[in-house]
Amino acid sequence: MNFSYSEKVQALQEKLSAFMEEHVYPNEKRYEQQLNEQKNRWSDVPEIVEQLKQKAKDEGLWNLFLPDSELGAGLTNLEYAPLCELMGKSLIGPEVFNCNAPDTGNMEVLVRYGTEQHKEEWLKPLLNGDIRSCFSMTEPDVASADATNVQASIVRDGDEYVINGRKWWSSGAGDPRCEIAIVMGKTNPDAPKHEQQSMILVPLKTPGVTIERMLPVFGFDHAPHGHAEITFDNVRVPASNILLGEGKGFAIAQGRLGPGRIHHCMRLIGAAERALEELCKRVQNRVAFGKPLASQGVIQEWIADSRIEIEQARLLTLKAAYMMDTVGNKVAKKEIAMIKVVAPNMALRVIDRAIQAFGAAGVSNDVPLAAQWANARTLRIADGPDEVHRAQIAKLELREYSQK
Ligand SMILES: Cc1cc2nc3c(=O)[nH]c(=O)nc-3n(C[C@H](O)[C@H](O)[C@H](O)COP(=O)(O)OP(=O)(O)OC[C@H]3O[C@@H](n4cnc5c(N)ncnc54)[C@H](O)[C@@H]3O)c2cc1C
């Protein structure tokens, strides 16, 4: 394994880092301010984000996540890792480069499984950053960590499918630009367990689709994207909106979640790096009991532990990315599961130390730490809770012994 970055990646890293310094960090506060000046926080999109998107596009820092070289940057997972990490240093970063969840996962699904018509209608405007999308799998009424529990029904009726169900935590659905949902439901509850589910494209404007409410995360609304509870009441879409065919939903979900999970981990490493940077800057200048906080042994220990843990998580992320590139997502599933447990827990520890070092300011919105902590905490649950990944790792580990 060679984790040194190629010249191409180093050049992109430099360019992206400069863009973050010059355009993204200085505009984080303006983003919030513009959001608060709107009619309400969900009515529009802060104009700064569209301006930054155009700048990023002009500089070629666009769709870097997509391995397909005709549609995206053509980077491998290993090449994308350090770039995604940089974007993750700011919560507004990923969108600026059109590399935000859940659009990236949805675009990958459309690239891999969409028909020419799906691509023309939905993939093109998503790649262009003109519209946004959401992914509706989780339901309030069933334990959705187990995707086979999903209850929403997708029933064929002539040339159409009829969808009924209630979803929640559909991230991005509050965004006024969000036009399309990928909905997972059951087409055949009597089929074998992993062939009951299908995925279907549902334009959010279709009659019967209702956004019931937006769910906050520890009080952060994440407007204008947010996380929606949505009901689907006799929603009719053309039969051609089904992805890959009936019964393929579970397989698509597995394929979608691999890259999605590792991207979250890459961004979390960026979030932890930013927290450590903020911590180090703060403790040099803050004087308590006659000396800078940086001279306290306990704070030096926090800094050292944070650096050690970030490096460990980064190396495991790079190993998982390398394996995805070389042996495929399926064989790399143990590494993907491991890093999905390691990265959020590492980020939470590092961000928490930075919050502590900042004192009361750390829990305010004056610094990005509280928001980053809240985001990292959700990732111990979203895209598979820690316990489910640990169960998977243990199963794969034990399998080696039962075969001997
Ligand atoms: C901020 C945020 C954004 C999200 N975005 C999306 C989205 O865009 N689209 C979408 O469809 N969903 C989304 N989700 C939902 C997320 O994927 C689910 O919450 C997750 O899969 C867990 O499902 P659940 O909430 O139903 O928990 P449950 O399935 O009820 O599980 C609850 C808890 O039980 C424990 N548990 C479960 N299984 C096991 C096991 N095998 N062994 C031991 N313990 C276990 C775990 O501790 C788990 O946290 C999002 C969630 C959050 C918080």
Side-chain angles (χ1 to χ4, degrees), residues 93-285:
E95 184 187 350
V96 168
F97 307 101
N98 214 34
C99 288
N100 44 277
D103 293 314
T104 46
N106 291 342
M107 285 187 262
E108 279 180 40
V109 165
L110 289 167
V111 168
R112 280 203 229 171
Y113 311 113
T115 62
E116 284 314 308
Q117 194 205 333
H118 299 154
K119 288 181 187 167
E120 190 57 35
E121 206 172 348
W122 306 113
L123 178 62
K124 258 193 185 172
L126 278 169
L127 284 170
N128 214 24
D130 294 335
I131 65 165
R132 297 204 59 183
S133 61
C134 64
F135 181 67
S136 298
M137 180 169 77
T138 304
E139 300 179 2
D141 296 337
V142 293
S144 303
D146 175 357
T148 62
N149 280 341
V150 159
Q151 293 298 309
S153 68
I154 305 175
V155 177
R156 180 88 188 226
D157 183 24
D159 290 341
E160 294 179 323
Y161 278 101
V162 185
I163 300 136
N164 280 289
R166 180 180 287 268
K167 299 285 182 182
W168 72 347
W169 296 101
S170 293
S171 299
D175 194 309
R177 297 160 302 177
C178 185
E179 293 201 6
I180 188 78
I182 297 184
V183 178
M184 181 154 162
K186 282 193 178 164
T187 31
N188 182 3
D190 301 322
K193 202 172 170 192
H194 296 106
E195 291 166 28
Q196 298 175 2
Q197 307 79 9
S198 301
M199 282 198 197
I200 194 155
L201 291 163
V202 180
L204 285 187
K205 290 192 186 103
T206 317
V209 177
T210 309
I211 297 200
E212 302 287 350
R213 60 173 176 149
M214 301 306 298
L215 297 146
V217 169
F218 297 112
F220 291 97
D221 61 6
H222 293 169
H225 319 302
H227 314 280
E229 180 162 342
I230 311 179
T231 48
F232 297 84
D233 184 13
N234 284 318
V235 174
R236 288 182 170 268
V237 297
S240 57
N241 281 22
I242 199 106
L243 284 165
L244 202 60
E246 287 192 18
K248 304 289 185 206
F250 196 83
I252 299 176
Q254 293 307 301
R256 182 188 184 282
L257 288 172
R261 282 176 181 148
I262 198 165
H263 294 170
H264 280 311
C265 299
M266 294 166 182
R267 286 189 284 266
L268 285 164
I269 292 165
E273 276 291 359
R274 174 106 183 255
L276 182 55
E277 270 169 38
E278 302 280 354
L279 185 163
C280 289
K281 283 189 224 152
R282 174 80 169 191
V283 297
Q284 309 264 13
N285 302 321

Side-chain angles (χ1 to χ4, degrees), residues 7-24 55-62 64 83 86 97:
E7 273 177 32
K8 178 172 79 170
V9 172
Q10 284 178 41
L12 280 168
Q13 247 177 322
E14 248 170 63
K15 207 167 160 184
L16 192 60
S17 186
F19 193 102
M20 294 290 293
E21 293 289 344
E22 198 178 334
H23 303 297
V24 178
K55 261 198 181 73
K57 206 188 266 187
D58 294 344
E59 293 198 17
L61 296 171
W62 194 250
L64 298 176
L83 307 171
L86 283 171
F97 307 101

